C-alpha cells in the first residue's frame, strides 16, 4: 500500500495525472493523503485531544504543513488561527470527503490466509466498511465461521452482490483466478475493486481498481535502507578523511 504521506511534490504538480480533479474537485494527490490525515485524527481523538494545530498534524502525518493546509482547504476546512482544527469536526469533514459517512458493503473473494486475515480484522467497521460476505470455491472452507460470517460459495457471488448492494470487491484469490473473479464482480455491477493478486487486472472504463502489493512496499523500504546505509558509509569515509 503506498503511503499517501510519501507522495512527492512532483506528483502534485498541475498536469500530473495524480493532480487530476477528482469527484468534488479535490485533486487525487490530496485524496490519497486524506486517509493518512484521518488515521492521525482518529489517534488524536482516542487520546482525548480536541484541537490540533496544522503543524502538529503535519508532523504526525509526515506531510509538510503548507501542503496539509492546502489539502484541508479543498474540504473547506481552514482551522482557526492560534487554535488549529477541531479534531472531531475535521474527522467528519475528511470522512465526508472520502464518502465514509456511510458504510460501504464489501465482499471478499478468497478465504485463504489473506482473505481470513482481512475478514477477521475488526477495524474496517469503524472506518466505514462492512464486510457482508466472504466467498471461496473450496468446499472445505464453505460453511466455516469467519469473523462473524459464514464462508459462502463463490458460485453465489452474483446473488451476494445483488442482495447486499456490494460496492467494493476485494480479490484475495491466486493470480490465475483473479481476472475471472474481477470479470464476474464487474458484470454483477461492482465498480470498485481492491486487488491483492499479483497481476494487473483488465477492467472497463468506469471501474476503479486499487492494487495492494506489500512486496513493492518492502522493495521501496529496501531502497531507502540501502541509500541510508550508503550515506552513512560515505559520511564515515569523509569524516575519516577530514581527520587524517
Ligand atoms: P491462499 O492460497 O491461502 O488462499 C487463496 C484462496 O482462494 C483459497 O482459499 C482458494 O480456495 C481460493 N480460491 C482459488 N480459486 C478461487 C476461485 N476461482 N474462486 C474463489 N476462491 C478461489 O492464498 P493467500 O495467501 O490468501 O493469497 C491470496 C492472494 O493474495 C494471492 O494471489 C497472493 O499472491 C496474494 N497476496 C498478496 C499480497 C500482497 O501484498 N498484495 C500478500 C499476500 C498474498
Amino acid at each position: 500500500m503506498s503511503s499517501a504521506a510519501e507522495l512527492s511534490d512532483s506528483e502534485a504538480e498541475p498536469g500530473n495525472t495524480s493532480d487530476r480533479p477528482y469527484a468534488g474537485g479535490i485533486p487525487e494527490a490530496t485524496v490519497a493523503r486524506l486517509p493518512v490525515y484521518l488515521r492521525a485524527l482518529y489517534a488524536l481523538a482516542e487520546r482525548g485531544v480536541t484541537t490540533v494545530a496544522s503543524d502538529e498534524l503535519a508532523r504526525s502525518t509526515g506531510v509538510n504543513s503548507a501542503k496539509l493546509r492546502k489539502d484541508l482547504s479543498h474540504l473547506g476546512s481552514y482551522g482557526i488561527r492560534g487554535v488549529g482544527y477541531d479534531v472531531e469536526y475535521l474527522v467528519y469533514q475528511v470522512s465526508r470527503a472520502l464518502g465514509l459517512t456511510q458504510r460501504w458493503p464489501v465482499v471478499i473473494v478468497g478465504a485463504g490466509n489473506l482473505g481470513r486475515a482481512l475478514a477477521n480484522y475488526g477495524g474496517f467497521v469503524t472506518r466505514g466498511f462492512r464486510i457482508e460476505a466472504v466467498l471461496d470455491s473450496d468446499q472445505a472452507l464453505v460453511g466455516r465461521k469467519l469473523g462473524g460470517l459464514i464462508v459462502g460459495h463463490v458460485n453465489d457471488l452474483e446473488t451476494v452482490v445483488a442482495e447486499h448492494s456490494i460496492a467494493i470487491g476485494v480479490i484475495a484469490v491466486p493470480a490465475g483466478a483473479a481476472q475471472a473473479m474481477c470479470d464476474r464482480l464487474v458484470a454483477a455491477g461492482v465498480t470498485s475493486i481492491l486487488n491483492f493478486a499479483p497481476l494487473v487486472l483488465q477492467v472497463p472504463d468506469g471501474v476503479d481498481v486499487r492494487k495492494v502489493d506489500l512486496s513493492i512496499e518492502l522493495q521501496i523500504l529496501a531502497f531507502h535502507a540501502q541509500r541510508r546505509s550508503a550515506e552513512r558509509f560515505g559520511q564515515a569515509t569523509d569524516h575519516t578523511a577530514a581527520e587524517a
Side-chain angles (χ1 to χ4, degrees):
M1 253 167 281
S2 77
S3 164
E6 288 173 8
L7 289 175
S8 66
D9 284 344
S10 66
E11 283 173 288
E13 293 287 322
N16 184 302
T17 52
S18 56
D19 199 40
R20 208 174 42 208
Y22 206 68
I26 305 175
E28 278 193 39
T30 297
V31 172
R33 284 187 288 271
L34 293 182
V36 180
Y37 302 150
L38 194 55
R39 191 173 52 197
L41 289 164
Y42 276 133
L44 290 168
E46 272 160 25
R47 283 179 14 228
V49 177
T50 54
T51 54
V52 62
S54 58
D55 286 353
E56 190 188 340
L57 188 55
R59 243 191 331 273
S60 67
T61 54
V63 176
N64 91 39
S65 73
K67 189 185 278 181
L68 177 133
R69 282 195 297 273
K70 175 114 193 289
D71 284 344
L72 297 182
S73 74
H74 288 297
L75 315 184
S77 192
Y78 297 94
I80 298 169
R81 191 176 287 277
V83 177
Y85 297 90
D86 182 288
V87 170
E88 199 183 322
Y89 190 56
L90 197 51
V91 164
Y92 166 73
Q93 284 183 305
V94 176
S95 303
R96 188 186 54 187
L98 288 170
L100 303 179
T101 45
Q102 66 180 96
R103 286 262 159 75
W104 293 94
V106 174
V107 63
I108 298 175
V109 187
N113 293 313
L114 187 60
R116 285 201 294 273
L118 294 171
N120 276 316
Y121 175 56
F124 292 129
V125 176
T126 56
R127 301 293 190 265
F129 304 95
R130 198 176 56 236
I131 296 172
E132 295 286 3
V134 184
L135 307 175
D136 204 287
S137 57
D138 184 351
Q139 286 294 357
L141 292 173
V142 174
R144 280 210 203 164
K145 214 163 168 261
L146 177 55
L149 293 165
I150 302 288
V151 177
H153 199 287
V154 75
N155 284 352
D156 298 331
L157 188 147
E158 288 76 8
T159 314
V160 165
V161 168
E163 261 177 18
H164 298 282
S165 305
I166 296 293
I168 300 172
V170 177
I171 295 187
V173 297
Q179 184 65 55
M181 288 305 111
C182 173
D183 293 345
R184 282 180 63 187
L185 285 165
V186 171
V190 175
T191 51
S192 300
I193 290 175
L194 182 63
N195 176 33
F196 284 90
L199 85 164
V200 177
L201 292 171
Q202 305 302 317
V203 291
D205 286 349
V207 176
D208 289 318
V209 178
R210 299 285 301 182
K211 188 170 188 306
V212 181
D213 193 333
L214 299 180
S215 57
I216 288 179
E217 301 307 316
L218 290 170
Q219 283 163 358
I220 292 169
L221 282 176
F223 168 80
H224 289 298
Q226 174 185 260
R227 200 191 50 189
R228 265 196 308 274
S229 117
E231 276 167 11
R232 263 200 301 273
F233 180 70
Q235 274 164 10
T237 310
D238 293 343
H239 186 60
T240 315
E243 276 180 350

